[in-house]
Amino acid sequence: MKPPVSRPRILNPDGSSNIARLGLEKRGWLDDHYHHLLTVSWPGFFAVIAGLYLMANALFALAYLACGDVIENARPGSFTDAFFFSVQTMATIGYGKLIPIGPLANTQVTLEALCGMLGLAVAASLIYARFTRPTAGVLFSSCTVVTEFEGKPTLMMRLANLRVEQIIEADVHLVLVRSEISQEGMLFRRFHDLQLTRSHSPIFSLSWTIMHPIDHHSPLYGETAETLRHSHSELLVLFTGHHEAFAQDVHARHAYSCDEIIWGGRFVDVFTTLPDGRRALDLTKFHEIAQ
């Protein structure tokens, strides 16, 4: 028997699209700089801020040098002294050793002080916006299973709350995404909502097993691992809720490929009893599946 052909995923594990976009005009940093600065990694973000800061100080240093000997106590023609004078001016440090001389130099100092205040305000707002974006802190099981539950084959996956604080009014939306052919022979991607036994939880504090009964009303009825692989089927899980610590709504999503559906498996119980009689959630067994 030949092993199944591995196909590229259409959805990444985090639920984002893995489809390339052709013919789309590439937008640079200057076209959508705010979005880029919010979505770039933290090392990239600080690299951009540091680069802009050094470049601005270098440009002002060159401007001071172009005006001649306008910085008292600075070595004539010294870029280093002009650069550090610019740093002190932009940061409003004012050690008192390097002093601007004349109206032209003081005009540049005024302009640079204004640029420094504006730059600080923009950088602070960007850092605040990045830090204050709430995250759900929800863990998704690495795989899903199809097993018998109350006499019906049932698709299951589970979620866990990684924080002590509760998520209130939590909702889960499960979608089957697969390629289908219309009556006219057109190939297209279709989304099927999967009915859950419980899609809403007033309080999500520990773990939550998401279950979809595979009956004759289910889009998964009659499907097998091979048919799901042939139609490039994937499962998309969308989670929303109100986090009591952030006092804001939080969102999370996860995507499973058809190869991450374990047919005939079942999740290992993650609840255990401590020696003192208390119940505990053992997350070390969260992804374990028994056949």
Side-chain angles (χ1 to χ4, degrees), residues 4-7 10 177-181 187-189 223-234 258-259:
V5 179
S6 178
R7 301 178 185 272
I10 295 178
V177 187
R178 66 186 178 191
S179 299
E180 297 183 1
I181 300 177
L187 178 65
F188 63 99
R189 200 75 174 156
E223 296 281 1
T224 64
E226 186 59 34
T227 59
L228 291 177
R229 190 175 295 111
H230 180 73
S231 61
H232 296 188
S233 297
E234 294 174 307
C258 55
D259 295 326

Side-chain angles (χ1 to χ4, degrees), residues 51 55 76 99 104 140 268 282:
M55 183 176 65
I99 305 170
L104 184 58
F140 293 85
V268 173
D282 187 2

Side-chain angles (χ1 to χ4, degrees), residues 196-211:
L196 304 178
T197 56
R198 184 167 64 92
S199 61
H200 176 80
S201 178
I203 295 178
F204 176 41
S205 58
L206 296 175
S207 68
W208 186 0
T209 301
I210 309 302
M211 294 184 288

